[in-house]
Amino acid sequence: MSVVAGKELRIVGFLCNWCSYGGADTAGVSRFKQPSDLRIIRVPCSGRVDPLFVVKALLNGADGVLVAGCHPNDCHYSEGNFYARRRLEMLKKFLSYMGIDDKRFHYTWVSASEGARWQQVVTDFTKQIHALGPLHQKEEAGD
Amino acid sequence: MRVGVFICHCGNNIAGTVDVAKVAEEARNMPGVQFATDYMYTCSEPGQEEIKEAIQREQLDRVVVAACSPRMHELTFRRTVEKAGLNRYFFEMANIREHVSWVGEDKDLNTNKAIEAVKLAVEKVKQNKPLFPSSFEVNKRVLVIGGGVAGMQAAIDCAEGGLQVVMVEKSPSIGGMMARLDKTFPTVDCSICILGPKMVDVSQHDNITLHAYSEVEEIKGYVGNYQVKIRKKATYVDWTKCTGCGECTEKCPSKDAYDHFNYGVAPTTAITIPFPQAIPKKATIDPTYCRQFVRGKCGVCAKICPADAIDYEMKDEIVTEEVGAIITASGYGLIDLDRLPEYGGGRYPDVVSGIQYERLLNASGPTEGHILRPSDKEEPKTIVFVSCAGSRDKSIGIPYCSNFCCMYIAKEAILTRDHIPDSKVYVFYMDIRSPGKGYDEFTRRAQEEYGVRYVRGRVARVFPKGKKMIVKGVDTLLGTQIEVEADLVVLATAVTAAPGAPQLAEKLRISYDQHAFYVESHPKLRPVETNTSGVFLAGCCQGPKDIPASVGQGSAAAAKVLSLFSRDMLESDPAVANVNINVCVGCRKCINTCPYGAIEEEELRDGRIVAKVLETVCAGCGVCTSTCPCGAIQLQHFTDNQLLAEVNALCLS
Amino acid sequence: MTQKKLKEVVQKVLPDVDMVIGYRQGFDPVHATPFFVTRPEQIDELIWNPLCVHNLASYIPSLTTNKKVAVIVKGCDSRAINQYLQENLINRENLVVIGIPCSGVVSVSKVLKAVDHQIIESVSCENHAVTVKTSQGEKKLSVSDVSPDKCKTCLYPTPLVYDHLVGDPITSDKEPESVYDEVRSFEEKSLEDRFQFWKTELDRCIRCYACRNACPMCICQDRCIAESRDPHWVTQKTNQTEKFMYHMIHALHLAGRCVECEECTRVCPMEIPVAKIKKKINMEMDQLFDYKAGLNAEDTPPMYTFKVDEETIEEHEL
């Protein structure tokens, strides 16, 4: 699986089914153009996103990871995004300590009606990752 | 593994910016893919036939459709593959329309993105497991929380539909806010006269059990099988003996108790029957004002009660009711007058709220229907109504419109002109919102027939001057400031969520918004359902609304419950969490974090404690799976391995 | 002497429990070892000195399900007990805690370095110093010079939970802020330097999982996802990616749970500063949620709870 060399970087998105995936759909319905880098993985709730998924993606070839969920208080499952908020905030502060630029990971809250906002998030985050360039976490010759 | 991949053109929606033939070609090369094709409209009947035929012909065991959003058609295609003999969970969708063709402009980049989206879906579907729903029995009894007009309508409709109903009402009588009103707009019907028969229906219906002066303490269980603990609060009067004769209220020496029913516009006795048409018509003692409780000596009511019903030693009682569904009709609240000090709210007795004014107008109210100033009991001649007192005001955190104040102001103004023919009545308004049937004609009548002076402008301040209240505002149509010397000022105080709304929502496991109004499943298409199955909404707890809308929602909620109960067994969604007891170490982190309380401890035969998922309660959020340190509990259909397959497909080169 | 008082307390406690877990002299003069006393004759072998480095609390979860156990803990060890209580992992009725206020222990690897890795013939201990005899002679080392990093910033020398306290309580003379000094100084390095540091350190990792096995909070070590194919988070490839992944899993699973006993660093055969990774997350837990693991039994670890309004978490802008 390789990105289109020179044009795209590998950006993985974890979107919650009820709000942010719906927001991305709304952006599509409204034909809001976005850079094509982002690849979306659907999860039922942002609370399903174990910080380890973000780490796994970044260590194994992703250049950027985006997690989006419902706005706090609007979670379809009442509390899932409250857990997500704490855990992802902790991860965001931790990444740079290990030498991974925390600007490569972004989490945000997008509701199903916020198509324009989704377009903004994807465009801005893609720009941010392109400004940082590829993240070389390629393994050296293993033993 | 034999995966079939179907790339949809969706007419030109996808094919216009994605080379669908190329995507199908690349899909054929993906490991595990047996068959791949592209098709014009996959969701159409011939399209679905094509899929079914391909499954048979190619002996496919898993299917991927690359088309629109799964939020659109996942259910459609799941049914298709099921009809062809596959388990419906051996199906995945790749979104190449909303997320690719509609948002990207470069055909090459789009095509590549579509290929990768298909690869993701193929890798995921290869990890999918078959899931089978199970059935469970449903208890055909319904709990209605709240005895206002919405709750009563819901209860009556359910009872008439043959269901057993348990109603819980937190005040001593049912009737809610509507029982406090004098007349209703736009017909100027006597409120209690039209409400009374409903209240009697509720109290006398064979299928309805009423717990008044009670609150919901705890709710356990899941749709079809709830166990609800109800706290029957101590009234200190044995209601099985009390006849509602009212002797106690006449003789009670403590006469300045806060009157909840009258919203404090006048005091009442410590032992009281809330209003003449109260149901149940029984007395209740408020211990904060009762001299027997506060000082330890009185006992007058106990001495004179002909039925010997007084019991100072009474304690709260907890009863448990088992029901299959819950209708929440818990009503609304109003902001305290204290929050409007610029209008004199809470400072001056002659500044009252709309509901307090309603009690002054009401013939069974504290002034027997005579409009009298609270300060000196004189009849006011100039009365000023202030619309939007708190509503539509971001600065106090109430940005919304309270829905019915424009209408009740018009009604109260008309009634005022009727009661006091030589009165001057002013209404300061920003807009007049009168959308219902006959509503605009009604507000026009107030202005044209009844001579109510509508002033378009806001009030800046209300302050006393001698015995009068000066209302200082602006008339924007005339373009001038105006001051009115009023005898009485009525503020249309903003509607809020009912006190205790967030706590009740937490017990019900439903969401509430930043104003504590309960959140419906869909703002347009599912106004009386919540995202918690088995819990429905009716009336103002979902948002401010007038009586016909509340009654409509009461009936709607009842219809939902009746349809839920139309079968004896319900099917549970099998995409729930599942525990591998060989891996679970019993740390209980999942149990503590589950938003639904859907996980409990289970003791195995060797004494080990592991987690166990209550399949019917699990809503499928997956917080447990991301919490579990050893991967023992997995949300089916979104397991770690399934999501990792997607991550690996994207990242590992 | 504390050691004498300790034996007296154990004498009193042993009849009521199935075993007392303490320390005795280990396989060589510079090592102590965990000791499970079940008979009164064994009490005399108990020791208490700066060699008693092990966190004996780690044994408690598996034993208190059906045995009554007494355990000897230092201040840092007692935090693990409080953390177990927060997470409801032990049966408190089956546990007797014998607390010993501690003024510091030694790091065996630092002692060995100080004597040039000569074979140690004998070690004698006083409260604040150890005298090490090798073929090259005797060397008196002050405990604070050869103690693990945790002792240099120790805020809890007296156990935070105990049923018996052996010795007088000791108050910490360390600045509370100093606990995370090493995190702050590490963060002054550039992003690239930080990555290179971890790349170098973790390159030595042999995935022996000693750090995980020694950690008191890793009670699921027998079912660890780092060694599982279901779910398959980490492969068995011995490359940088997998080594980073394992250590990130360990650190993230300890978020809001790590009691800073630094057993992980102590047991690492490759001398990787494993605890250094956890320290950063601990600092964040403190700053974001005003939470330090293991201080009292009533807290709730921050990753398993939430507030509807989080004052310390702002929405991130791009």
Side-chain angles (χ1 to χ4, degrees):
Chain A
M1 291 293 349
S2 53
V3 295
V4 181
K7 288 198 186 151
E8 280 184 352
L9 289 175
R10 177 59 80 209
I11 305 180
V12 181
F14 293 89
L15 269 55
C16 85
N17 179 58
W18 299 96
C19 284
S20 45
Y21 197 95
D25 282 351
T26 304
V29 165
S30 316
R31 312 294 196 276
F32 290 143
K33 301 288 175 245
Q34 298 148 43
S36 55
D37 306 48
L38 179 69
R39 304 285 181 268
I40 294 174
I41 294 177
R42 187 170 68 125
V43 291
C45 178
S46 52
R48 175 69 188 90
V49 182
D50 191 333
L52 287 174
F53 282 118
V54 178
V55 174
K56 177 92 182 169
L58 286 172
L59 289 179
N60 284 283
D63 301 303
V65 177
L66 177 66
V67 175
C70 306
H71 287 273
N73 259 322
D74 290 345
C75 180
H76 176 86
Y77 301 98
S78 310
E79 298 166 5
N81 60 359
F82 290 142
Y83 290 110
R85 178 170 53 179
R86 281 204 168 192
R87 294 168 186 183
L88 297 174
E89 181 67 19
M90 178 266 295
L91 177 72
K92 190 148 168 94
K93 294 203 142 63
F94 176 53
L95 281 174
S96 58
Y97 188 76
M98 299 305 290
I100 302 172
D101 197 328
D102 69 349
K103 292 201 280 295
R104 293 186 182 274
F105 165 56
H106 183 64
Y107 73 94
T108 185
W109 316 116
V110 178
S111 80
S113 54
E114 291 181 302
R117 177 131 186 278
W118 178 249
Q119 177 195 36
Q120 195 66 54
V121 166
V122 174
T123 311
D124 290 348
F125 188 60
T126 309
K127 255 198 224 133
Q128 184 164 294
I129 298 300
H130 276 264
L132 292 169
L135 170 65
H136 291 294
Q137 289 284 43
K138 300 281 180 285
E139 62 204 68
E140 271 102 38
D143 359 342
Chain B
M1 221 158 282
R2 301 169 73 85
V3 181
V5 179
F6 302 86
I7 319 292
C8 188
H9 291 227
C10 195
N12 219 24
N13 281 308
I14 296 176
T17 53
V18 172
D19 185 346
V20 285
K22 177 141 189 259
V23 179
E25 189 193 313
E26 290 297 318
R28 267 170 230 128
N29 295 331
M30 294 176 190
V33 174
Q34 175 64 25
F35 172 77
T37 186
D38 53 283
Y39 197 79
M40 191 58 72
Y41 290 106
T42 322
C43 58
S44 64
E45 216 188 294
Q48 293 189 44
E49 277 309 308
E50 164 99 9
I51 294 179
K52 282 192 252 172
E53 275 165 34
I55 292 175
Q56 307 295 353
R57 189 181 66 234
E58 306 287 333
Q59 293 181 332
L60 304 173
D61 54 20
R62 281 153 221 256
V63 169
V64 167
V65 168
C68 50
S69 170
R71 282 162 60 98
M72 192 107 224
H73 275 317
E74 184 170 58
L75 261 175
T76 316
F77 290 117
R78 275 185 176 169
R79 275 187 232 124
T80 311
V81 305
E82 199 167 51
K83 289 204 189 102
L86 296 184
N87 184 288
R88 50 164 55 195
Y89 292 91
F90 280 142
F91 168 76
E92 284 295 322
M93 260 184 101
N95 184 336
I96 61 171
R97 190 182 71 171
E98 281 87 333
H99 291 181
V100 181
S101 70
W102 275 351
V103 296
E105 289 163 303
D106 184 313
K107 193 157 188 178
D108 286 332
L109 290 176
N110 278 1
T111 306
N112 182 61
K113 188 167 177 178
I115 294 169
E116 295 191 353
V118 168
K119 172 116 202 240
L120 272 196
V122 168
E123 290 303 310
K124 167 123 190 331
V125 85
K126 291 197 305 198
Q127 297 282 333
N128 281 4
K129 300 234 164 37
L131 301 174
F132 306 94
S134 52
S135 297
F136 59 96
E137 272 184 26
V138 57
N139 184 354
K140 295 186 188 184
R141 297 178 85 230
V142 57
L143 173 72
V144 176
I145 305 177
V149 70
M152 292 199 290
Q153 186 61 45
I156 292 167
D157 285 346
C158 287
E160 287 293 294
L163 304 180
Q164 295 286 319
V165 180
V166 176
M167 177 181 277
V168 174
E169 165 53 52
K170 78 173 169 201
S171 31
S173 164
I174 54 177
M177 290 303 259
M178 191 176 168
R180 293 163 162 90
L181 304 180
D182 178 31
K183 307 276 193 300
T184 55
F185 56 77
T187 48
V188 198
D189 270 326
C190 155
S191 181
I192 196 63
C193 307
I194 56 177
L195 189 65
K198 281 211 200 292
M199 291 167 65
V200 172
D201 272 349
V202 166
S203 80
Q204 292 186 346
H205 205 293
D206 287 332
N207 284 348
I208 301 180
T209 306
L210 171 61
H211 294 289
Y213 207 53
S214 304
E215 290 189 50
V216 169
E217 179 90 353
E218 182 192 65
I219 301 177
K220 276 202 160 105
Y222 48 92
V223 60
N225 287 283
Y226 289 108
Q227 294 85 39
V228 184
K229 284 211 180 95
I230 297 168
R231 175 179 293 273
K232 291 176 75 78
K233 300 179 287 194
T235 54
Y236 307 105
V237 175
D238 185 344
W239 281 10
T240 58
K241 295 186 186 153
C242 173
T243 59
C245 67
E247 292 268 342
C248 51
T249 62
E250 279 172 40
K251 297 287 192 293
C252 175
S254 168
K255 293 198 191 302
D256 50 15
Y258 181 83
D259 188 341
H260 291 274
F261 190 75
N262 284 326
Y263 264 81
V265 75
T268 184
T269 44
I271 184 168
T272 179
I273 297 171
F275 57 103
Q277 305 88 343
I279 287 178
K281 184 134 187 254
K282 311 279 179 190
T284 308
I285 297 180
D286 185 343
T288 34
Y289 296 97
C290 168
R291 291 187 189 179
Q292 181 65 31
F293 281 92
V294 173
R295 300 186 206 168
K297 28 190 257 180
C298 181
V300 167
C301 53
K303 289 188 201 99
I304 57 144
C305 175
D308 193 27
I310 310 293
D311 175 9
Y312 299 116
E313 306 305 315
M314 191 188 269
K315 299 268 177 285
D316 290 355
E317 192 196 328
I318 308 273
V319 299
T320 305
E321 294 277 9
E322 295 191 346
V323 296
I326 301 174
I327 297 177
T328 312
S330 43
Y332 66 95
L334 294 161
I335 56 165
D336 264 338
L337 282 169
D338 300 357
R339 290 186 68 185
L340 304 161
E342 66 273 26
Y343 294 157
R347 285 180 180 175
Y348 313 114
D350 293 329
V351 175
V352 299
S353 64
I355 194 72
Q356 289 176 324
Y357 192 66
E358 202 73 38
R359 297 308 301 154
L360 295 179
L361 284 169
N362 196 309
S364 50
T367 55
E368 290 172 2
H370 300 290
I371 305 174
L372 301 175
R373 285 155 44 100
S375 58
D376 53 16
K377 303 288 181 285
E378 284 188 13
E379 192 179 73
K381 295 296 182 197
T382 305
I383 298 104
V384 174
F385 290 87
V386 180
S387 301
C388 301
S391 308
R392 307 173 66 188
D393 188 345
K394 278 191 211 165
S395 72
I396 64 169
I398 302 183
Y400 53 85
C401 165
S402 291
N403 192 292
F404 43 71
C405 321
C406 286
M407 291 308 298
Y408 80 60
I409 286 180
K411 169 196 68 177
E412 290 181 353
I414 287 177
L415 292 172
T416 309
R417 293 281 300 136
D418 263 342
H419 278 241
I420 311 171
D422 60 342
S423 60
K424 287 204 185 73
V425 179
Y426 294 84
V427 174
F428 279 84
Y429 72 98
M430 293 203 280
D431 300 285
I432 302 178
R433 294 178 168 182
S434 46
K437 213 187 247 196
Y439 283 22
D440 205 64
E441 297 91 310
F442 186 72
T443 51
R444 292 223 138 260
R445 259 178 84 199
Q447 297 170 63
E448 290 167 5
E449 225 180 277
Y450 284 83
V452 175
R453 291 149 215 244
Y454 270 70
V455 178
R456 191 181 186 283
R458 301 210 66 181
V459 171
R461 265 191 74 200
V462 175
F463 55 92
K465 186 170 148 197
K467 284 179 34 163
K468 305 254 183 202
M469 302 298 299
I470 306 295
V471 177
K472 193 179 161 83
V474 63
D475 185 334
T476 58
L477 295 179
L478 287 182
T480 170
Q481 290 194 8
I482 101 173
E483 264 188 27
V484 178
E485 272 191 18
D487 297 307
L488 185 62
V489 178
V490 182
L491 306 179
T493 47
V495 166
T496 64
Q503 291 76 6
L504 178 61
E506 271 158 41
K507 290 178 188 156
L508 291 161
R509 296 189 180 279
I510 59 177
S511 315
Y512 52 93
D513 64 21
Q514 75 263 53
H515 307 293
F517 290 112
Y518 297 158
V519 175
E520 61 287 311
S521 262
H522 190 280
K524 292 287 198 195
L525 301 178
R526 289 198 283 278
V528 296
E529 298 160 80
T530 62
N531 283 331
T532 305
S533 43
V535 180
F536 303 93
L537 303 173
C540 291
C541 60
Q542 183 253 359
K545 55 179 68 69
D546 56 14
I547 292 165
S550 298
V551 170
Q553 284 204 341
S555 289
K560 293 289 175 191
V561 172
L562 286 160
S563 116
L564 180 69
F565 290 174
S566 61
R567 280 157 290 205
D568 289 331
M569 304 281 275
L570 288 180
E571 232 180 45
S572 64
D573 180 356
V576 294
N578 191 275
V579 180
N580 181 343
I581 56 173
N582 291 324
V583 180
C584 177
V585 295
C587 73
R588 299 181 193 82
K589 293 188 173 67
C590 56
I591 298 177
N592 293 337
T593 50
C594 174
Y596 293 87
I599 314 177
E600 51 180 24
E601 284 179 22
E602 181 182 34
E603 190 175 321
L604 299 179
R605 280 192 300 176
D606 61 2
R608 258 200 317 143
I609 305 282
V610 293
K612 179 177 147 133
V613 176
L614 298 167
E615 289 175 3
T616 37
V617 192
C618 173
C621 67
V623 170
C624 56
T625 314
S626 59
T627 303
C628 177
C630 38
I633 188 167
Q634 295 284 334
L635 172 63
Q636 297 303 295
H637 209 58
F638 292 98
T639 63
D640 283 335
N641 274 351
Q642 286 164 358
L643 295 179
L644 282 169
E646 293 188 75
V647 173
N648 290 337
L650 280 179
C651 297
L652 299 174
S653 26
Chain C
M1 257 202 43
T2 318
Q3 192 168 284
K4 185 156 167 287
K5 268 199 227 122
L6 173 64
K7 292 182 187 173
E8 285 164 20
V9 171
V10 173
Q11 192 95 29
K12 244 192 342 193
V13 167
L14 183 59
D16 298 321
V17 297
D18 292 311
M19 70 180 81
V20 177
I21 311 175
Y23 305 91
R24 74 165 160 196
Q25 194 58 44
F27 58 87
D28 77 4
V30 76
H31 283 94
T33 195
F35 182 34
F36 298 80
V37 175
T38 49
R39 301 187 308 275
E41 314 85 84
Q42 296 173 307
I43 295 180
D44 214 31
E45 290 178 66
L46 283 167
I47 61 169
W48 171 249
N49 58 39
L51 301 178
C52 298
V53 299
H54 315 72
N55 185 346
L56 299 175
S58 309
Y59 294 110
I60 304 175
S62 54
L63 288 171
T64 56
T65 35
N66 49 17
K67 284 196 174 18
K68 247 201 131 186
V69 163
V71 72
I72 292 163
V73 291
K74 314 186 282 292
C76 42
D77 308 334
S78 70
R79 283 178 67 182
I81 298 183
N82 271 335
Q83 194 61 25
Y84 287 142
L85 292 170
Q86 283 187 26
E87 297 184 21
N88 215 348
L89 293 172
I90 58 172
N91 201 340
R92 183 69 176 94
E93 291 109 52
N94 283 354
L95 176 67
V96 176
V97 184
I98 301 172
I100 303 193
C102 158
S103 50
V105 295
V106 303
S107 153
V108 173
S109 63
K110 289 191 188 180
V111 170
L112 289 173
K113 280 203 190 77
V115 296
D116 279 333
H117 295 276
Q118 295 297 309
I119 294 183
I120 295 178
E121 292 169 14
S122 72
V123 172
S124 68
C125 303
E126 299 142 61
N127 217 2
H128 297 283
V130 293
T131 307
V132 181
K133 181 153 179 274
T134 68
S135 62
Q136 295 195 340
E138 271 191 9
K139 201 161 184 183
K140 184 164 180 180
L141 301 164
S142 134
V143 168
S144 53
D145 285 339
V146 290
S147 64
D149 291 338
K150 65 173 176 176
C151 295
K152 296 193 174 49
T153 55
C154 175
L155 297 176
Y156 313 105
T158 307
L160 297 166
V161 54
Y162 54 81
D163 298 308
H164 304 271
L165 192 65
V166 178
D168 297 317
I170 302 174
T171 27
S172 162
D173 59 353
K174 311 282 189 285
E175 278 299 311
E177 292 302 304
S178 63
V179 177
Y180 301 122
D181 275 347
E182 69 163 302
V183 173
R184 280 185 284 267
S185 66
F186 185 73
E187 290 192 305
E188 281 166 20
K189 291 187 203 248
S190 72
L191 191 75
E192 188 51 41
D193 282 347
R194 280 180 245 153
F195 179 67
Q196 285 306 321
F197 176 84
W198 290 116
K199 183 165 174 233
T200 314
E201 294 299 316
L202 295 183
D203 192 52
R204 297 195 300 282
C205 177
I206 56 173
R207 307 257 294 279
C208 65
Y209 304 119
C211 50
R212 176 198 75 191
N213 293 355
C215 174
M217 300 321 299
C218 281
I219 43 106
C220 40
Q221 48 189 255
D222 295 331
R223 319 270 205 279
C224 183
I225 60 171
E227 293 190 279
S228 173
R229 274 205 219 134
D230 186 12
H232 201 187
W233 286 94
V234 195
T235 70
Q236 293 310 104
K237 292 203 195 111
T238 54
N239 57 33
Q240 178 188 295
T241 309
E242 304 306 302
K243 289 174 190 186
F244 262 79
M245 189 71 200
Y246 162 66
H247 282 279
M248 302 284 273
I249 294 176
H250 196 217
L252 289 171
H253 278 191
L254 285 169
R257 304 174 64 222
C258 167
V259 294
E260 294 170 341
C261 66
E262 299 200 4
E263 284 285 85
C264 45
T265 297
R266 178 179 73 80
V267 301
C268 176
M270 310 307 289
E271 297 200 344
I272 299 169
V274 184
K276 198 179 168 85
I277 307 179
K278 280 72 166 172
K279 273 269 169 70
K280 165 64 177 173
I281 300 186
N282 286 354
M283 185 176 93
E284 293 310 325
M285 294 292 105
D286 194 20
Q287 286 177 350
L288 285 173
F289 309 117
D290 198 21
Y291 177 87
K292 277 193 150 88
L295 293 192
N296 62 62
E298 286 83 41
D299 284 342
T300 309
M303 294 287 98
Y304 307 112
T305 183
F306 59 85
K307 284 212 195 101
V308 174
D309 289 303
E310 303 272 9
E311 290 121 26
T312 48
I313 304 180
E314 303 272 326
E315 257 196 72
H316 292 273
E317 304 290 323
L318 280 166

